[in-house]
C-alpha cells in the first residue's frame, strides 16, 4: 500500500467516524427530549391524580386508569430517568 492509498483510507475512516459521531449526537439529543416528555407526562398525570383523589364524584374507572398510568410512568421514570433497576 502506498502513501496515497493510505491517506485515502484515513480520509474514508475519518468520514465514517464523523458520520457516527453525528449519529450519536442526534440520538443523545433525541433521548434527552424523550426524557423531558416522559417527565412532563408523569407530572401531568400525578397532578391529575392528586386533583381527583379527593373528588368522589369522579367515575371509578377514571381513578383506576390514572393510578395505573401513574404507576407505569413512575416505573419508567425510575428506569430511564434515574437509571434504577426495577428488579433490585
Amino acid at each position: 500500500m502506498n502513501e496515497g492509498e493510505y491517506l485515502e483510507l484515513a480520509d474514508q475512516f475519518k468520514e465514517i467516524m464523523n458520520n457516527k459521531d453525528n449519529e450519536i449526537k442526534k440520538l443523545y439529543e433525541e433521548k434527552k427530549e424523550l426524557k423531558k416528555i416522559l417527565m412532563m407526562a408523569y407530572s401531568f398525570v400525578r397532578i391529575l391524580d392528586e386533583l381527583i383523589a379527593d373528588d368522589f364524584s369522579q367515575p371509578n374507572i377514571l381513578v383506576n386508569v390514572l393510578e395505573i398510568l401513574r404507576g407505569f410512568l413512575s416505573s419508567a421514570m425510575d428506569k430511564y430517568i434515574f437509571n434504577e433497576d426495577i428488579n433490585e
Side-chain angles (χ1 to χ4, degrees):
M1 175 182 300
N2 65 28
E3 186 177 341
E5 291 173 333
Y6 178 75
L7 290 174
E8 184 179 331
L9 283 175
D11 287 340
Q12 289 174 358
F13 181 72
K14 182 179 178 184
E15 183 179 337
I16 290 170
M17 292 306 294
N18 286 339
N19 289 340
K20 292 296 178 187
D21 285 344
N22 289 337
E23 287 178 33
I24 289 170
K25 287 177 186 174
K26 181 182 175 191
L27 289 172
Y28 175 79
E29 290 300 319
E30 287 176 0
K31 182 179 175 182
K32 190 165 76 169
E33 286 301 311
L34 288 172
K35 284 183 175 185
K36 288 178 188 177
I37 291 168
L38 178 62
M39 288 188 291
M40 286 176 28
Y42 177 74
S43 298
F44 289 140
V45 168
R46 188 165 181 196
I47 289 168
L48 280 174
D49 190 33
E50 292 295 324
L51 287 174
I52 68 166
D54 298 327
D55 186 0
F56 299 109
S57 66
Q58 297 297 326
N60 283 341
I61 186 88
L62 178 62
V63 174
N64 292 340
V65 167
L66 276 175
E67 287 175 357
I68 292 168
L69 184 56
R70 183 177 176 181
F72 174 77
L73 288 173
S74 180
S75 295
M77 290 279 291
D78 289 342
K79 183 175 181 182
Y80 298 109
I81 304 297
F82 303 119
N83 298 320
E84 295 177 1
D85 187 11
I86 296 171
N87 296 324
E88 288 182 350

XYZ file of all heavy atoms in Angstrom:
732
model
N 0.865 -1.163 0.000
C 0.000 0.000 0.000
C 0.914 1.229 0.000
O 1.790 1.379 0.833
C -0.886 -0.030 1.260
C -1.729 1.194 1.405
S -2.757 1.252 2.920
C -3.773 -0.166 2.750
N 0.635 2.116 -0.921
C 1.459 3.317 -0.978
C 0.852 4.441 -0.143
O -0.241 4.298 0.421
C 1.695 3.757 -2.435
C 0.414 4.175 -3.128
O -0.515 4.634 -2.495
N 0.373 4.019 -4.447
N 1.544 5.541 -0.083
C 1.135 6.643 0.789
C -0.221 7.230 0.381
O -1.045 7.561 1.234
C 2.204 7.739 0.774
C 1.934 8.860 1.749
C 3.050 9.892 1.747
O 4.165 9.601 1.291
O 2.774 10.997 2.224
N -0.476 7.326 -0.913
C -1.747 7.875 -1.405
C -2.926 7.012 -0.989
O -3.970 7.521 -0.574
N -2.776 5.701 -1.108
C -3.845 4.786 -0.701
C -4.077 4.863 0.800
O -5.213 4.826 1.268
C -3.488 3.355 -1.104
C -3.511 3.119 -2.601
C -2.979 1.743 -2.975
O -2.144 1.192 -2.211
O -3.389 1.232 -4.016
N -2.979 4.968 1.530
C -3.079 5.076 2.985
C -3.828 6.346 3.377
O -4.717 6.308 4.234
C -1.680 5.068 3.601
C -1.681 5.225 5.105
C -2.048 4.169 5.920
C -1.331 6.436 5.687
C -2.063 4.308 7.294
C -1.342 6.583 7.062
C -1.695 5.522 7.859
O -1.711 5.662 9.213
N -3.517 7.470 2.736
C -4.209 8.729 3.029
C -5.684 8.669 2.638
O -6.542 9.189 3.339
C -3.515 9.895 2.314
C -2.144 10.282 2.854
C -1.501 11.344 1.965
C -2.257 10.780 4.289
N -5.971 8.002 1.543
C -7.365 7.857 1.109
C -8.154 7.027 2.120
O -9.284 7.376 2.491
C -7.421 7.202 -0.271
C -8.829 7.114 -0.828
C -8.862 6.477 -2.221
O -7.876 6.589 -2.961
O -9.905 5.886 -2.535
N -7.557 5.946 2.605
C -8.214 5.123 3.629
C -8.421 5.911 4.923
O -9.470 5.802 5.570
C -7.398 3.862 3.915
C -7.504 2.747 2.887
C -6.547 1.611 3.233
C -8.919 2.218 2.803
N -7.424 6.698 5.291
C -7.544 7.508 6.504
C -8.672 8.532 6.358
O -9.443 8.753 7.302
C -6.219 8.209 6.797
N -8.797 9.141 5.181
C -9.881 10.099 4.945
C -11.244 9.419 4.995
O -12.206 9.968 5.550
C -9.697 10.802 3.595
C -8.567 11.820 3.611
O -8.181 12.264 4.715
O -8.086 12.173 2.509
N -11.327 8.221 4.410
C -12.580 7.482 4.450
C -12.949 7.120 5.888
O -14.110 7.229 6.290
C -12.482 6.215 3.599
C -12.441 6.469 2.122
C -12.200 5.188 1.332
O -12.021 4.096 1.899
N -12.183 5.319 0.009
N -11.957 6.684 6.653
C -12.198 6.346 8.051
C -12.649 7.572 8.839
O -13.573 7.493 9.645
C -10.933 5.743 8.670
C -11.104 5.353 10.106
C -11.868 4.254 10.449
C -10.508 6.094 11.115
C -12.043 3.896 11.775
C -10.674 5.747 12.439
C -11.440 4.642 12.774
N -12.016 8.701 8.590
C -12.384 9.943 9.273
C -13.821 10.331 8.947
O -14.583 10.728 9.838
C -11.427 11.067 8.870
C -11.701 12.369 9.561
C -10.717 13.442 9.145
C -11.062 14.755 9.835
N -10.199 15.838 9.396
N -14.214 10.178 7.689
C -15.586 10.498 7.284
C -16.585 9.573 7.973
O -17.625 10.005 8.468
C -15.728 10.397 5.768
C -17.094 10.793 5.262
C -17.212 10.711 3.750
O -16.173 10.766 3.061
O -18.353 10.585 3.280
N -16.248 8.288 8.026
C -17.122 7.312 8.696
C -17.266 7.672 10.174
O -18.376 7.661 10.730
C -16.580 5.880 8.517
C -16.743 5.426 7.079
C -17.284 4.911 9.462
C -16.021 4.131 6.746
N -16.160 7.993 10.820
C -16.201 8.343 12.244
C -16.995 9.623 12.482
O -17.751 9.723 13.449
C -14.789 8.466 12.810
C -14.035 7.148 12.872
S -14.918 5.843 13.751
C -14.946 6.510 15.398
N -16.846 10.609 11.614
C -17.617 11.846 11.740
C -19.108 11.575 11.606
O -19.920 12.135 12.350
C -17.162 12.878 10.708
C -15.832 13.508 11.051
O -15.404 13.497 12.203
N -15.145 14.040 10.039
N -19.477 10.700 10.657
C -20.888 10.339 10.488
C -21.415 9.636 11.738
O -22.533 9.920 12.194
C -21.072 9.450 9.261
C -20.895 10.195 7.962
O -20.991 11.430 7.919
N -20.622 9.478 6.893
N -20.622 8.731 12.293
C -21.034 8.015 13.503
C -21.162 8.980 14.686
O -22.097 8.888 15.475
C -20.052 6.890 13.850
C -20.050 5.760 12.866
C -21.391 5.055 12.830
C -21.400 3.948 11.817
N -22.730 3.367 11.646
N -20.218 9.914 14.803
C -20.293 10.914 15.875
C -21.560 11.745 15.751
O -22.236 12.029 16.750
C -19.067 11.831 15.858
C -17.824 11.160 16.403
O -17.946 10.104 17.066
O -16.717 11.697 16.149
N -21.908 12.131 14.523
C -23.130 12.913 14.297
C -24.371 12.099 14.652
O -25.321 12.628 15.234
C -23.197 13.404 12.860
C -22.178 14.484 12.568
O -21.707 15.173 13.471
N -21.823 14.641 11.302
N -24.370 10.811 14.309
C -25.492 9.939 14.659
C -25.633 9.819 16.176
O -26.747 9.870 16.706
C -25.306 8.553 14.047
C -25.523 8.487 12.562
C -25.280 7.080 12.010
O -25.564 6.090 12.721
O -24.804 6.989 10.871
N -24.511 9.661 16.861
C -24.537 9.537 18.326
C -25.062 10.820 18.954
O -25.885 10.781 19.876
C -23.134 9.176 18.858
C -22.798 7.742 18.471
C -23.052 9.355 20.374
C -21.354 7.350 18.728
N -24.624 11.970 18.470
C -25.105 13.251 18.995
C -26.606 13.396 18.771
O -27.333 13.849 19.653
C -24.366 14.414 18.334
C -22.943 14.575 18.807
C -22.225 15.698 18.063
C -20.752 15.741 18.453
N -20.001 16.723 17.659
N -27.070 12.994 17.581
C -28.503 13.075 17.275
C -29.303 12.165 18.211
O -30.330 12.573 18.759
C -28.753 12.683 15.819
C -30.188 12.768 15.405
C -30.382 12.333 13.972
C -31.856 12.311 13.632
N -32.128 11.652 12.357
N -28.820 10.941 18.412
C -29.512 10.013 19.315
C -29.512 10.526 20.748
O -30.508 10.379 21.467
C -28.869 8.628 19.247
C -29.103 7.854 17.956
C -28.245 6.590 17.936
C -30.566 7.520 17.771
N -28.414 11.142 21.175
C -28.344 11.702 22.522
C -29.386 12.808 22.692
O -30.087 12.850 23.703
C -26.938 12.243 22.792
C -26.827 12.951 24.113
C -26.711 12.234 25.293
C -26.852 14.341 24.181
C -26.629 12.889 26.520
C -26.770 14.997 25.401
C -26.656 14.269 26.554
O -26.586 14.914 27.758
N -29.496 13.683 21.697
C -30.473 14.770 21.776
C -31.903 14.226 21.776
O -32.762 14.720 22.504
C -30.274 15.762 20.631
C -29.007 16.584 20.747
C -28.958 17.426 22.012
O -29.977 18.016 22.396
O -27.865 17.501 22.615
N -32.157 13.202 20.953
C -33.490 12.590 20.927
C -33.811 11.956 22.276
O -34.932 12.078 22.779
C -33.573 11.539 19.821
C -33.625 12.122 18.431
C -33.609 11.054 17.338
O -33.561 9.840 17.659
O -33.635 11.447 16.166
N -32.836 11.288 22.857
C -33.033 10.660 24.173
C -33.333 11.714 25.228
O -34.218 11.536 26.066
C -31.783 9.865 24.554
C -31.881 9.139 25.865
C -30.602 8.370 26.147
C -30.633 7.731 27.509
N -29.378 7.023 27.807
N -32.613 12.831 25.170
C -32.835 13.911 26.129
C -34.245 14.479 25.980
O -34.937 14.710 26.980
C -31.783 15.005 25.907
C -31.758 16.058 26.987
C -30.493 16.899 26.929
C -30.548 17.890 25.804
N -29.464 18.899 25.860
N -34.711 14.675 24.743
C -36.063 15.185 24.519
C -37.115 14.196 25.005
O -38.124 14.588 25.598
C -36.282 15.503 23.034
C -35.587 16.755 22.569
C -36.026 17.996 23.324
O -37.243 18.226 23.475
O -35.139 18.738 23.784
N -36.897 12.903 24.764
C -37.850 11.893 25.229
C -37.914 11.852 26.751
O -38.986 11.652 27.330
C -37.490 10.519 24.669
C -37.769 10.344 23.179
C -37.197 9.018 22.692
C -39.253 10.430 22.890
N -36.776 12.050 27.410
C -36.773 12.106 28.869
C -37.583 13.300 29.358
O -38.332 13.191 30.334
C -35.343 12.178 29.403
C -34.610 10.866 29.357
C -33.223 10.995 29.962
C -32.516 9.670 30.040
N -31.222 9.774 30.739
N -37.458 14.435 28.689
C -38.238 15.617 29.070
C -39.730 15.346 28.920
O -40.529 15.694 29.795
C -37.850 16.821 28.204
C -36.501 17.394 28.496
C -36.229 18.560 27.538
C -34.820 19.074 27.636
N -34.562 20.147 26.660
N -40.104 14.714 27.813
C -41.511 14.401 27.565
C -42.031 13.436 28.623
O -43.139 13.603 29.148
C -41.689 13.829 26.143
C -41.438 14.931 25.115
C -43.073 13.222 25.962
C -41.294 14.419 23.687
N -41.242 12.426 28.963
C -41.635 11.462 29.992
C -41.832 12.143 31.334
O -42.820 11.888 32.036
C -40.588 10.354 30.096
C -40.815 9.286 31.153
C -42.109 8.535 30.886
C -39.639 8.324 31.181
N -40.920 13.037 31.691
C -41.051 13.747 32.970
C -42.289 14.641 32.985
O -42.995 14.719 33.994
C -39.792 14.572 33.239
C -38.597 13.729 33.607
S -37.146 14.654 34.149
C -36.644 15.445 32.646
N -42.573 15.309 31.865
C -43.761 16.164 31.798
C -45.030 15.327 31.888
O -45.967 15.693 32.602
C -43.757 16.987 30.510
C -42.757 18.119 30.553
S -42.590 19.105 29.033
C -44.138 18.998 28.237
N -45.065 14.196 31.184
C -46.247 13.331 31.225
C -46.482 12.822 32.643
O -47.624 12.815 33.132
C -46.073 12.157 30.257
N -45.418 12.413 33.326
C -45.548 11.945 34.702
C -46.076 13.061 35.596
O -46.952 12.836 36.428
C -44.208 11.430 35.223
C -44.269 11.000 36.670
C -44.902 9.820 37.024
C -43.710 11.781 37.673
C -44.971 9.419 38.348
C -43.779 11.380 38.999
C -44.404 10.214 39.329
O -44.485 9.826 40.644
N -45.574 14.264 35.407
C -46.024 15.408 36.216
C -47.501 15.677 36.009
O -48.242 15.889 36.974
C -45.220 16.662 35.868
O -43.863 16.474 36.149
N -47.932 15.674 34.741
C -49.346 15.935 34.455
C -50.239 14.859 35.062
O -51.279 15.159 35.666
C -49.600 16.023 32.949
C -49.047 17.259 32.314
C -48.450 17.206 31.068
C -49.123 18.495 32.939
C -47.931 18.343 30.474
C -48.618 19.640 32.347
C -48.017 19.560 31.103
N -49.853 13.602 34.919
C -50.662 12.510 35.460
C -50.681 12.577 36.980
O -51.730 12.362 37.604
C -50.135 11.144 34.964
C -50.762 10.002 35.721
C -50.396 11.003 33.475
N -49.571 12.900 37.573
C -49.521 12.998 39.037
C -50.415 14.131 39.537
O -51.140 13.965 40.528
C -48.082 13.221 39.491
C -47.941 13.143 40.965
C -46.521 13.012 41.384
N -46.525 12.931 42.851
C -45.483 13.114 43.592
N -44.320 13.360 43.052
N -45.565 13.035 44.896
N -50.398 15.268 38.858
C -51.265 16.393 39.236
C -52.727 15.998 39.086
O -53.539 16.243 39.987
C -50.937 17.642 38.395
C -49.578 18.206 38.812
C -52.019 18.700 38.538
C -49.031 19.265 37.868
N -53.074 15.373 37.963
C -54.463 14.930 37.763
C -54.878 13.931 38.831
O -55.988 13.998 39.369
C -54.621 14.284 36.383
C -54.755 15.215 35.205
C -54.746 14.416 33.900
C -56.038 16.026 35.306
N -53.982 13.011 39.151
C -54.270 12.010 40.182
C -54.541 12.684 41.521
O -55.484 12.315 42.234
C -53.097 11.034 40.279
C -53.416 9.824 41.140
O -54.588 9.379 41.147
O -52.495 9.312 41.804
N -53.739 13.666 41.869
C -53.936 14.384 43.132
C -55.239 15.190 43.123
O -55.934 15.267 44.134
C -52.750 15.315 43.416
C -51.459 14.591 43.718
C -51.521 13.781 44.999
O -52.177 14.220 45.960
O -50.911 12.691 45.027
N -55.560 15.783 41.971
C -56.776 16.594 41.888
C -58.041 15.768 42.050
O -59.007 16.215 42.672
C -56.828 17.347 40.551
C -55.857 18.519 40.401
C -55.909 19.065 38.976
C -56.185 19.622 41.402
N -58.046 14.568 41.470
C -59.280 13.774 41.545
C -59.283 12.795 42.715
O -60.286 12.133 42.957
C -59.560 13.027 40.230
C -58.530 11.936 39.991
C -59.661 13.967 39.074
C -58.952 10.976 38.924
N -58.181 12.698 43.441
C -58.110 11.738 44.544
C -59.177 12.007 45.601
O -59.747 11.079 46.170
C -56.724 11.763 45.175
N -59.462 13.264 45.856
C -60.440 13.615 46.887
C -61.813 13.939 46.319
O -62.728 14.260 47.064
C -59.931 14.814 47.691
C -58.636 14.488 48.412
O -58.463 13.324 48.816
O -57.801 15.399 48.552
N -61.950 13.877 45.005
C -63.223 14.192 44.359
C -63.974 12.886 44.119
O -63.709 12.152 43.179
C -62.962 14.924 43.038
C -64.246 15.404 42.383
O -65.335 15.178 42.951
O -64.154 16.013 41.306
N -64.942 12.608 44.991
C -65.656 11.338 44.914
C -66.710 11.299 43.818
O -67.348 10.282 43.602
C -66.290 11.015 46.266
C -65.268 10.875 47.355
C -65.143 11.836 48.345
C -64.416 9.782 47.375
C -64.187 11.715 49.342
C -63.459 9.640 48.370
C -63.345 10.612 49.359
N -66.885 12.407 43.108
C -67.859 12.421 42.020
C -67.263 11.873 40.722
O -67.987 11.667 39.753
C -68.362 13.851 41.783
O -67.309 14.678 41.312
N -65.952 11.628 40.707
C -65.304 11.095 39.506
C -65.597 9.597 39.384
O -65.640 8.881 40.375
C -63.790 11.319 39.565
C -63.381 12.760 39.590
C -63.788 13.499 38.337
O -63.807 12.933 37.255
N -64.143 14.759 38.494
N -65.773 9.128 38.154
C -66.007 7.687 37.953
C -64.797 6.870 38.411
O -63.654 7.291 38.253
C -66.194 7.548 36.443
C -66.342 8.923 35.904
C -65.795 9.873 36.911
N -65.087 5.709 38.989
C -64.014 4.839 39.471
C -63.046 4.445 38.360
O -61.850 4.291 38.607
C -64.586 3.575 40.116
C -65.123 3.854 41.501
O -64.773 4.855 42.114
N -65.985 2.976 41.978
N -63.565 4.276 37.150
C -62.699 3.864 36.045
C -61.639 4.920 35.771
O -60.485 4.595 35.509
C -63.515 3.553 34.765
C -62.618 2.977 33.664
C -64.212 4.768 34.241
C -62.498 1.498 33.741
N -62.001 6.200 35.863
C -61.039 7.278 35.642
C -59.949 7.258 36.713
O -58.759 7.377 36.418
C -61.746 8.629 35.631
C -60.863 9.858 35.468
C -60.136 9.810 34.140
C -61.691 11.121 35.587
N -60.351 7.064 37.945
C -59.401 6.997 39.054
C -58.466 5.802 38.859
O -57.240 5.936 39.009
C -60.142 6.899 40.405
C -59.161 6.688 41.546
C -60.983 8.148 40.641
N -59.024 4.656 38.500
C -58.218 3.453 38.301
C -57.234 3.611 37.148
O -56.067 3.219 37.261
C -59.106 2.232 38.069
C -59.878 1.841 39.301
O -59.526 2.217 40.419
N -60.946 1.088 39.111
N -57.698 4.179 36.035
C -56.823 4.373 34.880
C -55.680 5.319 35.231
O -54.517 5.075 34.875
C -57.624 4.890 33.656
C -56.697 5.394 32.566
C -58.527 3.798 33.130
N -55.973 6.394 35.940
C -54.922 7.331 36.336
C -53.923 6.691 37.287
O -52.722 6.934 37.191
C -55.526 8.583 36.966
C -55.973 9.655 35.985
C -56.674 10.790 36.707
C -54.810 10.188 35.184
N -54.405 5.863 38.203
C -53.493 5.176 39.124
C -52.578 4.217 38.375
O -51.378 4.146 38.651
C -54.279 4.429 40.198
C -54.902 5.339 41.232
C -55.777 4.597 42.229
O -55.946 3.362 42.093
O -56.304 5.255 43.136
N -53.127 3.489 37.415
C -52.322 2.555 36.618
C -51.306 3.325 35.777
O -50.127 2.965 35.727
C -53.227 1.677 35.733
C -54.044 0.719 36.604
C -52.415 0.917 34.685
C -55.157 0.007 35.877
N -51.759 4.396 35.136
C -50.858 5.208 34.318
C -49.759 5.839 35.162
O -48.592 5.855 34.772
C -51.650 6.286 33.580
C -50.881 7.176 32.614
C -50.161 6.347 31.560
C -51.824 8.170 31.955
N -50.124 6.310 36.339
C -49.130 6.904 37.230
C -48.089 5.865 37.646
O -46.890 6.125 37.662
C -49.806 7.503 38.461
C -48.830 8.191 39.391
C -49.542 8.823 40.551
N -48.571 9.396 41.481
C -48.903 10.005 42.595
N -50.162 10.151 42.922
N -47.974 10.484 43.382
N -48.514 4.670 37.953
C -47.583 3.603 38.318
C -46.666 3.232 37.167
O -45.455 3.042 37.349
N -47.239 3.134 35.976
C -46.436 2.815 34.795
C -45.393 3.901 34.533
O -44.213 3.605 34.301
C -47.347 2.643 33.580
C -46.603 2.444 32.291
C -46.035 1.221 32.000
C -46.466 3.474 31.390
C -45.339 1.026 30.817
C -45.773 3.303 30.206
C -45.212 2.071 29.925
N -45.820 5.155 34.571
C -44.890 6.263 34.334
C -43.848 6.367 35.444
O -42.699 6.711 35.189
C -45.652 7.582 34.180
C -46.434 7.741 32.880
C -47.278 9.001 32.916
C -45.512 7.751 31.679
N -44.245 6.057 36.664
C -43.301 6.078 37.774
C -42.199 5.034 37.560
O -41.014 5.313 37.770
C -44.029 5.815 39.095
O -43.126 5.829 40.166
N -42.585 3.850 37.116
C -41.595 2.803 36.827
C -40.679 3.221 35.684
O -39.461 2.987 35.733
C -42.293 1.490 36.463
O -43.018 1.000 37.556
N -41.260 3.845 34.661
C -40.456 4.313 33.531
C -39.495 5.408 33.972
O -38.339 5.450 33.523
C -41.363 4.816 32.410
N -39.949 6.292 34.861
C -39.070 7.348 35.377
C -37.892 6.729 36.129
O -36.742 7.136 35.940
C -39.838 8.279 36.321
C -40.855 9.167 35.660
S -40.128 10.615 34.937
C -39.625 11.498 36.388
N -38.187 5.753 36.985
C -37.115 5.097 37.742
C -36.094 4.451 36.811
O -34.892 4.575 37.026
C -37.690 4.029 38.680
C -38.455 4.627 39.843
O -38.259 5.826 40.129
O -39.246 3.891 40.461
N -36.587 3.805 35.764
C -35.697 3.071 34.870
C -34.927 3.996 33.930
O -33.714 3.861 33.779
C -36.507 2.065 34.056
C -35.668 1.197 33.157
C -36.505 0.143 32.478
C -35.647 -0.744 31.591
N -36.451 -1.747 30.893
N -35.620 4.930 33.285
C -34.999 5.704 32.212
C -34.451 7.064 32.644
O -33.554 7.590 31.999
C -35.978 5.895 31.054
C -36.374 4.581 30.434
C -37.655 4.069 30.597
C -35.452 3.831 29.721
C -38.013 2.857 30.041
C -35.806 2.616 29.170
C -37.081 2.137 29.321
O -37.431 0.923 28.788
N -34.985 7.631 33.703
C -34.502 8.940 34.155
C -33.479 8.758 35.272
O -32.404 9.337 35.250
C -35.658 9.841 34.637
C -36.719 10.012 33.541
C -35.132 11.188 35.113
C -36.242 10.691 32.286
N -33.825 7.933 36.250
C -32.959 7.748 37.402
C -32.039 6.540 37.277
O -31.233 6.268 38.163
C -33.795 7.632 38.683
C -34.695 8.822 38.898
C -36.071 8.682 38.947
C -34.156 10.088 39.031
C -36.897 9.776 39.130
C -34.970 11.188 39.221
C -36.343 11.043 39.269
N -32.159 5.798 36.160
C -31.307 4.634 35.855
C -31.286 3.617 36.985
O -30.258 3.024 37.293
C -29.886 5.090 35.533
C -29.838 5.963 34.312
O -30.520 5.713 33.339
N -29.039 7.015 34.378
N -32.440 3.385 37.591
C -32.563 2.385 38.646
C -33.099 1.097 38.040
O -33.985 1.124 37.202
C -33.515 2.875 39.742
C -33.018 4.094 40.483
C -34.020 4.597 41.511
O -35.102 3.981 41.648
O -33.712 5.590 42.157
N -32.570 -0.017 38.499
C -33.070 -1.311 38.050
C -34.316 -1.635 38.869
O -34.277 -1.669 40.090
C -32.006 -2.385 38.228
C -32.420 -3.713 37.621
O -33.439 -3.751 36.891
O -31.733 -4.720 37.867
N -35.413 -1.889 38.197
C -36.690 -2.135 38.867
C -36.647 -3.425 39.671
O -37.304 -3.559 40.693
C -37.839 -2.165 37.823
C -37.968 -0.786 37.180
C -39.145 -2.583 38.463
C -38.912 -0.735 36.006
N -35.830 -4.395 39.266
C -35.777 -5.695 39.932
C -34.890 -5.714 41.163
O -34.751 -6.718 41.809
C -35.298 -6.770 38.944
C -36.276 -6.949 37.821
O -37.486 -6.856 38.011
N -35.778 -7.204 36.627
N -34.266 -4.586 41.493
C -33.366 -4.558 42.658
C -34.132 -4.639 43.946
O -35.169 -4.174 44.135
C -32.515 -3.277 42.663
C -31.452 -3.298 41.602
C -30.577 -2.040 41.648
O -30.911 -1.075 42.376
O -29.577 -2.035 40.958
